[in-house]
Amino acid sequence: MTPSFRAASRATLVAAAALALAAGLSPATSATSAADTSSRPAPTTVLDVRGLEQGDPPAVAWSERRSGRTVIHGTGGTRTPAPNRLDQFAPMGSGHVIQTIGAGGARTRWIGADGTPGPREWRTGYGLAVSAQGKAVAFSGRAGKVWSIDEAGDRVLSFNPVPISGKGRAVALFGEDCKESATSTGCSIYVNGPNRAYYTSSHGIVDRPPHLRLTSTGRGRWIGGITSLSDMGSCSAMLRSWNVKWRTCDNQLSDISPDNRHVLGTPAYADGFGPGTLDLLTTADGSVARSFTSARNGRSATYFDEVWEDAGHVLVVTYQADRWAVVRLGVDGSMEYAVAPRRGTMDARAPFRLQTR
């Protein structure tokens, strides 16, 4: 299996780092008032996606590879041809910022609505960071270099690099316009190195976020990430305005919902073909609003590319019983197909991708 599926989803972005860091990291200190959310009961739904009803198409952009061709489906019905090695993408202006993977690692560029590539391509680390309203996207390359592209599609801004070795991984972007002006306060971009998280801003500031070893998600005043890693798993914390609100050793933290009320929690330890459980956590206190779980008899799905579609629904790419699908999960526990199942194997790359948000 190739190291795709959004590097086995954004929530497992630290899987490789975990192996390198496990022996050397100790738990970070959290605020004493932060809630401990371990061992929480929650309403559950078994993630068995066989025979679901067909629902509406995804309300976010998604890609499909069929007969050797890859197409990005836009929310307005557009179809943009893209390279077959497409791994991550985000709508931007009249086209998309795309990231492809290959033997030489990841490459990032902008493409127009007809698939025409922009004038420049970057060798980058895996990962795109997208602002809350989707008006800016950022990525990181060698020696911690960081760039952003705005909704004009052809305006590229560079930032002070973060002090890391190798290629950085952009995780979160705060602000919708990275060029400071009379109508903009600029932006901040959070980047993971091999063993530390940093941020760089359009003000020229480079620093480390408090409490977190690695960042995994961010939106509005909220930012989440990993505080410690070990052979047994990981512990994470959710911060609001840089103050720890709660911590957990049950989950790694992934995408935050558009209304900031929920955050996705994937397993605390990334192992195997892909995760089989997904928790929908309350952002304010870490309590579990809904848990999608594995079946004890093994008749359930593995998922990848978990992304909030709207405030009440999550889209995931699933694999079960030799079929790939895009499934819509509701906070109320509902499940339906957003893209109908297609036969495939676990030895091949998933035929579907969901946009980075």
Side-chain angles (χ1 to χ4, degrees), residues 182-202:
T183 58
S184 171
T185 58
C187 72
S188 296
I189 300 164
Y190 286 70
V191 176
N192 284 341
N195 50 26
R196 293 286 182 181
Y198 294 88
Y199 68 89
T200 180
S201 77
S202 50

Side-chain angles (χ1 to χ4, degrees), residues 78-326:
T78 58
R79 294 169 57 90
T80 299
N84 282 336
R85 301 299 298 181
L86 180 69
D87 185 63
Q88 294 196 43
F89 61 96
M92 184 54 55
S94 60
H96 297 81
V97 176
I98 66 168
Q99 191 170 92
T100 57
I101 58 172
R107 294 175 181 265
T108 302
R109 72 183 317 149
W110 183 84
I111 60 172
D114 61 354
T116 302
R120 187 177 175 188
E121 179 181 81
W122 295 265
R123 293 186 177 183
T124 62
Y126 297 104
L128 299 176
V130 183
S131 64
Q133 298 178 31
K135 294 182 179 180
V137 64
F139 45 94
S140 180
R142 294 180 183 276
K145 294 180 179 179
V146 180
W147 300 270
S148 73
I149 296 179
D150 67 11
E151 60 184 338
D154 58 355
R155 185 175 68 173
V156 178
L157 303 174
S158 59
F159 293 74
N160 286 341
V162 297
I164 63 174
S165 60
K167 298 175 182 176
R169 181 178 187 123
V171 177
L173 194 163
F174 294 86
E176 300 296 330
D177 186 348
C178 289
K179 186 169 181 61
E180 296 185 41
S181 66
T183 58
S184 171
T185 58
C187 72
S188 296
I189 300 164
Y190 286 70
V191 176
N192 284 341
N195 50 26
R196 293 286 182 181
Y198 294 88
Y199 68 89
T200 180
S201 77
S202 50
H203 297 287
I205 299 172
V206 176
D207 206 345
R208 286 168 45 187
H211 308 293
L212 303 177
R213 296 283 183 171
L214 297 167
T215 54
S216 60
T217 189
R219 186 182 177 93
R221 296 183 179 182
W222 296 94
I223 185 168
I226 288 177
T227 58
S228 66
L229 291 159
S230 73
D231 291 333
M232 300 302 293
S234 63
C235 292
S236 296
M238 179 61 76
L239 284 60
R240 187 176 189 272
S241 301
W242 281 11
N243 296 310
V244 177
K245 302 302 292 184
W246 51 272
R247 45 188 160 76
T248 178
C249 294
D250 294 333
N251 300 104
Q252 291 183 22
L253 305 177
S254 185
D255 202 26
I256 298 174
S257 64
D259 62 358
N260 291 343
R261 293 183 62 185
H262 295 98
V263 58
L264 300 181
T266 62
Y269 185 75
D271 190 21
F273 175 61
T277 60
L278 178 66
D279 292 332
L280 278 54
L281 310 175
T282 303
T283 311
D285 61 11
S287 60
V288 184
R290 169 69 56 175
S291 184
F292 291 88
T293 64
S294 300
R296 291 184 179 180
N297 62 6
R299 297 171 69 88
S300 55
T302 294
Y303 68 89
F304 307 91
D305 275 18
E306 68 284 355
V307 172
W308 284 95
E309 182 182 33
D310 54 39
H313 299 91
V314 179
L315 293 174
V316 291
V317 175
T318 63
Y319 180 81
Q320 183 178 359
D322 299 324
R323 284 174 171 80
W324 294 93
V326 179

Side-chain angles (χ1 to χ4, degrees), residues 314-347:
V314 179
L315 293 174
V316 291
V317 175
T318 63
Y319 180 81
Q320 183 178 359
D322 299 324
R323 284 174 171 80
W324 294 93
V326 179
V327 175
R328 178 177 290 111
L329 309 176
V331 177
D332 60 0
S334 60
M335 298 190 299
E336 65 180 12
Y337 293 131
V339 179
R342 276 178 47 186
R343 186 172 293 278
T345 71
M346 63 184 294
D347 296 321

Side-chain angles (χ1 to χ4, degrees), residues 16-53:
L19 297 177
L21 293 174
L25 294 186
S26 59
T29 301
S30 298
T32 56
S33 59
D36 187 343
T37 60
S38 300
S39 302
R40 303 150 298 183
T44 62
T45 300
V46 174
L47 193 62
D48 186 344
V49 301
R50 296 169 300 167
L52 301 178
E53 296 291 329

